[in-house]
């Protein structure tokens, strides 16, 4: 699998923050059942790596990855935990080298044309656009398409059910990322039916459903 393949698996990548690794497997199953097999578990909590390991081992239909990769060691630890892809909010040469060395597909984060061109010089054409809304949103990505049509983005940050379809309609957007699919109260209460319903609604965005 290469990074661009992630865009073809589902229109939305759930961005998941887990404080309890025990919730990882039922959460992942609900997302997969709803039609969203690609799951980004952010490295923002102590439970993240254990959650990735559990999903990788127990939910074979899920393609679990690590998000908020900001240090070189994050890439190595995520790969060891069973992550199948990496996502960073930004990118430096050192971080880029570490993600490449991990041997996994990765979506490096960019917010400007210069950052995107720097990655393009290294042959990278699949990127995360973050923070999407704060960095210019749909209008900015439209502007980037003219000079940089070879790049496809996964916008994340301020993307939700109200604007996801607008992003997905852009030529240079392969998918979007968002946290609205796993509300904190639903995860806390184990309301997996609610998560499954939100996932199904998001999965229908690609077909305009």
């Amino acid at each position: 699998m290469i990074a661009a393949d992630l865009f073809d698996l589902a229109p939305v990548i759930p961005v998941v923050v887990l404080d309890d690794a025990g919730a990882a497997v039922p959460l992942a199953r609900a997302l997969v059942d709803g039609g969203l097999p690609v799951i980004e578990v952010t490295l923002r909590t102590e439970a993240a790596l254990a959650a990735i390991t559990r999903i990788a081992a127990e939910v074979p239909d899920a393609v679990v990855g690590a998000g908020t990769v900001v240090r070189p060691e994050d890439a190595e630890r995520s790969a060891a935990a069973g992550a199948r892809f990496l996502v960073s909010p930004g990118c430096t040469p050192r971080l880029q080298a570490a993600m490449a060395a991990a041997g996994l597909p990765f979506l490096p984060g960019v917010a400007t044309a210069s950052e995107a061109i720097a990655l393009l010089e290294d042959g990278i054409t699949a990127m995360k656009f973050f923070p999407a809304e704060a960095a210019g949103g749909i209008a900015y990505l439209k502007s980037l398409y003219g000079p940089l049509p070879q790049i496809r983005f996964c916008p994340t940050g301020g993307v939700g059910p109200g604007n996801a379809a607008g992003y997905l309609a852009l030529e240079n957007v392969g998918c979007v990322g968002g946290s609205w699919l796993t509300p904190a109260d639903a995860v806390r209460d184990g309301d997996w039916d609610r998560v499954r319903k939100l996932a199904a609604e998001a999965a229908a965005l690609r077909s305009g459903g």
Side-chain angles (χ1 to χ4, degrees):
M1 182 174 68
I2 61 174
D5 291 338
L6 295 169
F7 296 156
D8 299 323
L9 296 177
V12 181
I13 297 179
V15 178
V16 178
V17 180
L18 283 171
D19 293 305
D20 176 12
V25 168
L27 175 65
R29 286 177 176 154
L31 291 169
V32 171
D33 288 348
L36 299 181
V38 184
I39 302 168
E40 175 189 334
V41 177
T42 67
L43 302 182
R44 300 180 192 175
T45 67
E46 293 294 327
L49 291 172
I52 290 170
T53 296
R54 292 192 184 190
I55 294 171
E58 299 181 45
V59 191
D61 291 333
V63 179
V64 63
T68 320
V69 174
V70 296
R71 301 171 300 174
E73 57 266 36
D74 290 340
E76 183 178 351
R77 293 168 66 211
S78 298
R84 294 176 60 185
F85 66 93
L86 306 171
V87 184
S88 66
C91 199
T92 65
R94 186 166 168 238
L95 181 59
Q96 179 184 332
M99 290 193 290
L104 299 175
F106 62 95
L107 295 174
V110 300
T112 69
S114 293
E115 292 168 353
I117 291 170
L119 290 169
L120 187 61
E121 288 177 346
D122 289 331
I124 296 172
T125 59
M127 307 174 194
K128 172 176 177 170
F129 179 58
F130 176 84
E133 282 291 283
I138 290 172
Y140 190 83
L141 284 174
K142 278 184 179 178
S143 298
L144 286 184
Y145 181 67
L148 300 171
Q150 63 273 66
I151 300 176
R152 293 175 77 200
F153 297 95
C154 174
T156 306
V159 179
N163 59 9
Y167 277 101
L168 289 166
L170 299 178
E171 293 282 350
N172 55 347
V173 169
C175 67
V176 299
S179 58
W180 83 91
L181 302 148
T182 55
D185 58 338
V187 176
R188 182 191 65 235
D189 299 337
D191 190 353
W192 310 127
D193 285 338
R194 181 181 172 197
V195 172
R196 190 178 298 106
K197 180 176 182 292
L198 289 169
E201 291 170 353
L205 288 171
R206 177 146 286 166
S207 60

